[in-house]
Amino acid sequence: DGVSCGDCLSNTITKKVKTRLETDQIPSIGRTFYVSPSGTATTCSNGAEFSVIQQAVNCATQPGDTVLVKAGTYNQGFLISQSGASYNYITVRNSGNDRVVLDGTGLVDGGCIGAETQNRPCGIRITGGYVRVRGFEIQKFGNGIYAQLTAHNVIIEDNFIHDIDRTDWQTEIRVGRWDATDPVYVANITIQRNTLVHVKRGQTSMSFDGLSQDNGGGHVIRNNVIRTNYWADDAHGNDCIGGHPN
């Protein structure tokens, strides 16, 4: 828009533009760490297999590192605070097509800060950058996935989040701050191909929080499925909200 051309036929310029939205082309090439219910590793050697996801994630400190979680139900959440690089993301995902369930039953604090710790644990909390999270089934938490504080250039994709019903004000995927005291500049979060089902007594399937000057924007939401979202037993909740410009 706003471009004029006096002689377009004789002055045609052809360019190929690549944008950050081509997320499937972003690599993760580096070390690999594994998680399984029978894992026994205690040190961060390449190929090590742990039983606790957070232990493996703590090892993924270099651009391109990958954590592959094998099939099982894990009564645990985890935090990704480190960052990859624009050319080589840190990836935390399921191994192959394995069904990996994060179950928050009985957990009190899954890593969220502020008031969320009051019976609102997170399945996955992200504060780092150039990170990809893929292929988890998340249930029974207060917040499914929370990109918070200084999270940036994060890809959240192909997750199945359901039955987020611990107490009121639940969110399946949340981006931004909890309140004005949180230092935050969250930017460039891509949320794609996720299925969000049955957030109950909790208002929102996707929430973008933060004052306009603090939420960095640049977020992309595409090809997600949202259904059966209840504010109360007989009222539909919010599929996606943002209280301030994003």
Side-chain angles (χ1 to χ4, degrees):
D1 291 342
V3 178
S4 61
C5 179
D7 187 5
C8 291
L9 293 179
S10 60
N11 293 281
T12 300
I13 299 175
T14 301
K15 293 286 186 180
K16 182 177 179 181
V17 178
K18 181 178 179 179
T19 74
R20 74 173 181 88
L21 304 184
E22 296 172 358
T23 54
D24 290 331
Q25 299 179 12
I26 298 174
S28 290
I29 303 172
R31 301 174 300 170
T32 302
F33 305 98
Y34 297 90
V35 182
S36 75
S38 59
T40 59
T42 58
T43 60
C44 295
S45 56
N46 189 20
E49 186 166 311
F50 298 84
S51 61
V52 177
I53 300 172
Q54 187 66 67
Q55 292 175 340
V57 169
N58 290 346
C59 292
T61 57
Q62 301 175 13
D65 283 349
T66 297
V67 174
L68 297 178
V69 185
K70 297 182 180 180
T73 297
Y74 298 83
N75 185 220
Q76 53 190 269
F78 61 90
L79 163 68
I80 307 172
S81 59
Q82 58 270 51
S83 295
S86 60
Y87 58 88
N88 209 5
Y89 274 42
I90 290 174
T91 294
V92 183
R93 59 161 297 169
N94 63 326
S95 179
N97 294 317
D98 284 9
R99 183 187 179 195
V100 176
V101 180
L102 304 183
D103 189 319
T105 301
L107 298 181
V108 175
D109 184 357
C112 291
I113 70 167
E116 285 93 335
T117 59
Q118 301 172 8
N119 201 33
R120 293 189 182 100
C122 289
I124 302 172
R125 178 183 169 213
I126 305 165
T127 61
Y130 302 112
V131 169
R132 183 195 303 269
V133 171
R134 173 190 286 177
F136 290 94
E137 180 177 341
I138 303 172
Q139 63 187 24
K140 302 296 183 180
F141 284 90
N143 293 285
I145 300 176
Y146 201 164
Q148 190 186 35
L149 298 176
T150 54
H152 64 92
N153 298 96
V154 173
I155 302 168
I156 300 169
E157 64 186 6
D158 301 315
N159 300 285
F160 175 36
I161 308 176
H162 62 93
D163 292 290
I164 301 300
D165 60 359
R166 291 287 295 271
T167 182
D168 58 355
W169 300 100
Q170 313 305 309
T171 306
E172 289 177 310
I173 295 179
R174 188 170 191 169
V175 175
R177 64 163 64 193
W178 170 248
D179 59 36
T181 64
D182 293 345
V184 59
Y185 192 81
V186 178
N188 300 332
I189 310 299
T190 297
I191 302 172
Q192 61 186 12
R193 303 191 305 268
N194 300 282
T195 299
L196 312 178
V197 180
H198 200 198
V199 56
K200 181 178 165 184
R201 297 160 49 205
Q203 183 192 25
T204 307
S205 286
M206 276 190 269
S207 174
F208 292 79
D209 307 330
L211 302 177
S212 58
Q213 68 267 29
D214 296 313
N215 197 322
H219 308 311
V220 175
I221 307 171
R222 59 185 176 189
N223 299 327
N224 299 282
V225 175
I226 300 174
R227 64 176 184 267
T228 323
N229 175 2
Y230 291 101
W231 171 259
D233 290 340
D234 58 352
H236 194 278
N238 299 307
D239 289 339
C240 182
I241 63 170
H244 302 274
N246 288 283

